[in-house]
């Protein structure tokens, strides 16, 4: 039996303020992802990499997720730190990510300070930029893993959908900030105090934003402390023990959790090219069909492509932001059977009538897959910035649900595994989130002998991430093949220093659009995979 001390709590005078503080780190995390997804592909293309080689760089994302999140989740589950199981990983990962973000933004300056030969500077800059991207991805995945598990550990089963919805809201805010700042001409606003280019200034803002938001969440949340784990092993804490625990859990996943993971697998083959290449696709569509001559000859082509893509994604992020508030109000919680909200007496009649017509979260998830697939099937036919931007904006609400539903379902399943369908629901204090007393006991929060089931949320969310990252490997292979066949040269829009003979042609199908089309086919498979949950 695991031994614990204390009870989880969050500072704040209302549920909304507590939820906001608990999930605030998500803003910083998604700000970093937004900057990376918007600017890093054009940045690598501007350094002279081809699209096929750039797609191989993005193995960093799935590789880091596959390795880091399950390991961090498993190690954190057994952590006996007096700071709690999750917060040390959140802060350490945030600081490391911030340092390598600064390296990424100022790579050319740092390399140029030590090396004078121009050819050597170019090669070393590419190597350092790729290394920095890998380092950022590995460290930010540690932050993500711990932050998600912190929400699950802190909230009772009845509040898992609420916590997941708040995470989705904060994600929309983070992306919105990233796209809004990306669309603004930052050098003209701030001067050169944060760097002379758009990309440099964004990396500085992302670094400080990540550390700042993670610091606030860690300050606001008090975790219960694990005094001793339920089981002991001669190799406990070692890499072998961690790996074998992950493998055994993965091999014997409960049926519903496996079904959730399979739905995520098919969905993410579709979402991967959308998240990593769609801003580049919009920028290229603009440059090829709509841009005036002056824009094509811009000295800061990277900034132009990034700003054009960000303008489209500002609308997308506004849709996801409002959707993150609106959708939870009109979609039934998957755990409505055991928890019924009590609306104010004045509107109870209206609310109860509306509740009869609410779709459940599973149905909404299925329709999200279908809507995303339908939009991306039209990607190869986009011949204007407006049409491409419209297709992206249609995917706003589907992304809301895609980033919310699997974590809500998994959080509920993990809590059910720990507590069965029982457990009382009580309020610890006015300054804490409502917690479930999972073992039905009423021990003192400071009793070192207090025990509970100790939810293994870290390893289960790590396994969900495995099913999220393997599709990204598949997507990387698909995009590498597509780019090698359709666009084997360097980017004519961004690689201005390359010889014209090295540029790929632009009169054929856009390689990114073809990848989006293939992703749409996988999203259609996700529809059928998600429907299986209805019969389980």
């Amino acid at each position: 039996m695991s031994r614990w001390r204390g009870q989880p709590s969050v500072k704040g005078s209302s549920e909304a303020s507590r939820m906001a503080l608990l999930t605030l780190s998500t803003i910083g995390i998604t700000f970093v992802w937004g900057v990376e997804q918007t600017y890093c592909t054009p940045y690598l293309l501007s350094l002279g990499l081809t699209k096929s080689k750039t797609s191989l760089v993005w193995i960093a994302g799935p590789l880091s997720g596959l390795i880091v999140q399950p390991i961090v989740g498993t190690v954190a589950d057994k952590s006996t730190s007096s700071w709690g199981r999750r917060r040390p990983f959140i802060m350490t990962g945030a600081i490391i990510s911030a340092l390598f973000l600064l390296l990424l933004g100022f790579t050319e300056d740092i390399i140029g300070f030590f090396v004078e030969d121009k050819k050597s500077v170019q090669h070393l800059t590419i190597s350092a930029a790729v290394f920095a991207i890998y380092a950022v991805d590995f460290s930010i995945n540690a932050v993500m893993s711990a932050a998600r598990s912190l929400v699950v550990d802190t909230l009772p089963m009845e509040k898992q959908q609420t916590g997941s919805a708040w995470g989705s809201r904060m994600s929309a805010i983070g992306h919105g900030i990233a796209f809004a700042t990306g669309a603004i001409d930052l050098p003209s606003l701030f001067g050169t105090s944060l760097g002379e280019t758009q990309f440099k200034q964004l990396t500085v803002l992302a670094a400080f934003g990540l550390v700042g938001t993670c610091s606030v969440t860690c300050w606001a949340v008090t975790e219960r402390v694990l005094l001793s784990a339920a089981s002991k092993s001669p190799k406990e804490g070692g890499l072998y023990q961690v790996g074998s625990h992950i493998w055994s859990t993965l091999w014997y996943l409960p049926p519903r959790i496996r079904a959730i993971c399979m739905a995520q697998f098919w969905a993410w083959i579709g979402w991967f090219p959308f998240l990593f290449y769609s801003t580049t696709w919009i920028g290229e569509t603009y440059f090829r069909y709509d841009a005036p001559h002056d824009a094509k000859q811009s000295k800061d082509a990277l900034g132009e492509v990034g700003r054009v893509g960000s303008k489209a994604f500002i609308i997308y992020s506004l849709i996801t932001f409002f959707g993150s508030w609106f959708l939870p109000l009109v979609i039934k919680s998957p755990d409505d059977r055991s928890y019924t909200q009590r609306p104010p007496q004045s509107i109870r009649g209206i609310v109860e009538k509306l509740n009869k017509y609410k779709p459940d979260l599973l149905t909404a998830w299925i329709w999200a897959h279908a809507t995303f697939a339908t939009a991306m099937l039209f990607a190869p036919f986009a011949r204007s910035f407006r049409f491409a931007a419209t297709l992206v904006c249609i995917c706003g609400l589907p992304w809301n649900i895609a980033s919310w539903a699997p974590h809500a379902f998994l959080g509920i399943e993990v809590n059910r595994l720990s507590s069965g369908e029982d457990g009382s629901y009580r309020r610890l204090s006015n300054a804490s989130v409502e917690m479930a007393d999972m073992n039905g006991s009423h021990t003192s929060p400071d009793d070192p002998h207090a025990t509970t089931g100790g939810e293994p949320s870290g390893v289960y969310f790590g396994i969900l991430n495995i099913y999220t990252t393997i599709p990204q490997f598949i997507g990387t292979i698909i995009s590498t093949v597509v780019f090698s066949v359709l666009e084997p040269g360097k980017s004519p829009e961004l690689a201005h220093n390359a010889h014209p003979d090295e540029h790929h042609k632009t009169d054929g199908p856009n390689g990114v659009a073809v990848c989006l089309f293939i992703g749409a086919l996988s999203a259609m498979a996700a529809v059928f995979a998600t429907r299986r949950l209805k019969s389980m």
Side-chain angles (χ1 to χ4, degrees):
M1 200 70 154
S2 298
R3 297 173 61 245
W4 302 86
R5 183 179 69 242
Q7 289 284 3
S9 64
V10 184
K11 292 180 173 64
S13 57
S14 65
E15 181 179 278
S17 63
R18 293 190 290 269
M19 288 290 185
L21 289 170
L22 176 61
T23 57
L24 188 68
S25 60
T26 307
I27 292 180
I29 294 169
T30 51
F31 188 8
V32 173
W33 282 123
V35 171
E36 186 176 272
Q37 291 163 6
T38 304
Y39 275 87
C40 281
T41 294
Y43 177 57
L44 294 174
L45 293 174
S46 71
L47 294 178
L49 286 181
T50 63
K51 278 188 177 180
S52 58
K53 290 181 179 178
T54 299
S55 67
L56 292 175
V57 172
W58 290 125
I59 288 178
L63 184 64
S64 58
L66 188 66
I67 296 173
V68 173
Q69 290 208 24
I71 292 178
V72 167
T74 303
V75 172
D77 282 343
K78 300 179 182 298
S79 173
T80 55
S81 169
S82 59
W83 279 50
R85 296 189 296 170
R86 316 299 178 185
R87 289 181 295 169
F89 290 93
I90 292 175
M91 284 309 305
T92 302
I95 292 171
I96 294 173
S97 292
L99 293 175
F100 281 103
L101 275 169
L102 297 176
L103 172 62
L104 179 62
F106 293 85
T107 303
E108 290 182 276
D109 300 85
I110 295 171
I111 298 298
F113 181 80
F114 294 101
V115 181
E116 294 183 358
D117 181 66
K118 289 186 178 180
K119 288 188 177 179
S120 298
V121 167
Q122 183 181 16
H123 291 305
L124 289 173
T125 298
I126 293 173
S127 300
V130 172
F131 173 74
I133 288 173
Y134 270 74
V136 169
D137 279 7
F138 271 73
S139 53
I140 201 70
N141 266 284
V143 180
M144 288 174 62
S145 175
R148 286 172 177 169
S149 294
L150 182 66
V151 174
V152 175
D153 291 351
T154 306
L155 299 177
M157 187 189 306
E158 294 83 359
K159 292 293 182 181
Q160 290 299 318
Q161 169 161 306
T162 304
S164 187
W166 269 91
S168 180
R169 291 164 188 164
M170 294 302 181
S171 177
I173 293 172
H175 276 117
I177 295 172
F179 298 137
T181 52
I184 298 170
D185 189 353
L186 294 178
S188 66
L189 183 64
F190 295 122
T192 58
S193 57
L194 300 178
E196 67 275 11
T197 67
Q198 182 88 356
F199 185 58
K200 289 179 181 179
Q201 297 199 7
L202 279 171
T203 56
V204 172
L205 295 176
F208 282 98
L210 177 64
V211 173
T213 55
C214 288
S215 298
V216 172
T217 290
C218 290
W219 163 80
V221 178
T222 299
E223 296 183 72
R224 61 177 181 169
V225 176
L226 177 65
L227 299 178
S228 63
S231 61
K232 296 288 184 181
S233 168
K235 298 181 179 179
E236 181 156 9
L239 187 61
Y240 172 82
Q241 195 269 345
V242 171
S244 62
H245 179 55
I246 294 171
W247 175 254
S248 62
T249 306
L250 178 64
W251 189 255
Y252 296 106
L253 280 178
R256 282 187 61 83
I257 292 181
R258 187 177 298 279
I260 294 167
C261 290
M262 287 306 301
Q264 185 81 331
F265 172 85
W266 289 108
W268 264 85
I269 294 178
W271 282 112
F272 175 73
F274 178 87
L275 295 173
F276 281 90
Y277 301 126
S278 52
T279 51
T280 303
W281 170 57
I282 289 175
E284 288 181 343
T285 301
Y286 170 76
F287 268 75
R288 293 181 188 183
Y289 302 107
D290 297 332
H293 180 75
D294 291 344
K296 294 181 180 180
Q297 302 302 317
S298 172
K299 293 182 180 179
D300 188 12
L302 169 62
E304 290 291 335
V305 169
R307 278 190 286 271
V308 169
S310 294
K311 287 177 182 177
F313 271 83
I314 287 176
I315 303 173
Y316 166 88
S317 63
L318 287 174
I319 293 172
T320 59
F321 174 73
F322 287 112
S324 66
W325 291 90
F326 173 73
L327 290 174
L329 299 177
V330 299
I331 295 176
K332 290 180 183 178
S333 167
D335 199 51
D336 268 353
R337 294 172 299 171
S338 59
Y339 175 68
T340 303
Q341 293 183 335
R342 293 176 175 81
Q345 186 67 36
S346 59
I347 61 171
R348 178 174 296 181
I350 298 174
V351 171
E352 289 178 351
K353 289 181 180 179
L354 290 176
N355 283 340
K356 296 179 181 179
Y357 302 100
K358 278 185 177 182
D360 59 78
L361 184 57
L362 187 57
T363 301
W365 195 13
I366 293 170
W367 278 103
H369 297 319
T371 304
F372 172 73
T374 302
M376 291 298 98
L377 286 174
F378 288 96
F381 306 103
R383 293 294 183 270
S384 69
F385 165 79
R386 182 173 297 180
F387 184 47
T390 300
L391 294 179
V392 165
C393 291
I394 290 173
C395 298
L397 294 181
W399 173 247
N400 270 131
I401 297 173
S403 59
W404 158 31
H407 301 106
F409 281 118
L410 183 59
I412 288 169
E413 294 302 321
V414 168
N415 275 281
R416 283 176 177 166
L417 288 174
S418 299
S419 64
E421 294 290 342
D422 302 320
S424 60
Y425 188 59
R426 62 189 177 92
R427 181 179 294 277
L428 297 178
S429 69
N430 290 332
S432 66
V433 177
E434 292 176 305
M435 306 294 162
D437 188 348
M438 294 300 181
N439 63 354
S441 65
H442 296 278
T443 54
S444 168
D446 296 320
D447 181 3
H449 300 288
T451 61
T452 71
E455 305 93 334
S457 58
V459 68
Y460 279 116
F461 274 91
I463 288 171
L464 178 67
N465 196 66
I466 291 175
Y467 280 86
T468 304
T469 54
I470 290 177
Q472 296 178 50
F473 282 108
I474 297 172
T476 298
I477 294 170
I478 292 172
S479 59
T480 300
V481 172
V482 170
F483 294 148
S484 297
V485 173
L486 297 180
E487 298 175 336
K490 297 181 180 181
S491 171
E493 292 86 8
L494 292 165
H496 290 171
N497 294 328
H499 191 277
D501 291 342
E502 296 181 279
H503 292 158
H504 64 70
K505 297 179 180 180
T506 60
D507 53 355
N510 185 291
V512 176
V514 173
C515 292
L516 295 173
F517 180 86
I518 296 173
L521 301 179
S522 181
M524 294 171 67
V527 171
F528 296 98
T530 308
R531 286 186 64 187
R532 289 193 60 205
L533 279 166
K534 282 185 174 290
S535 59
M536 300 181 72

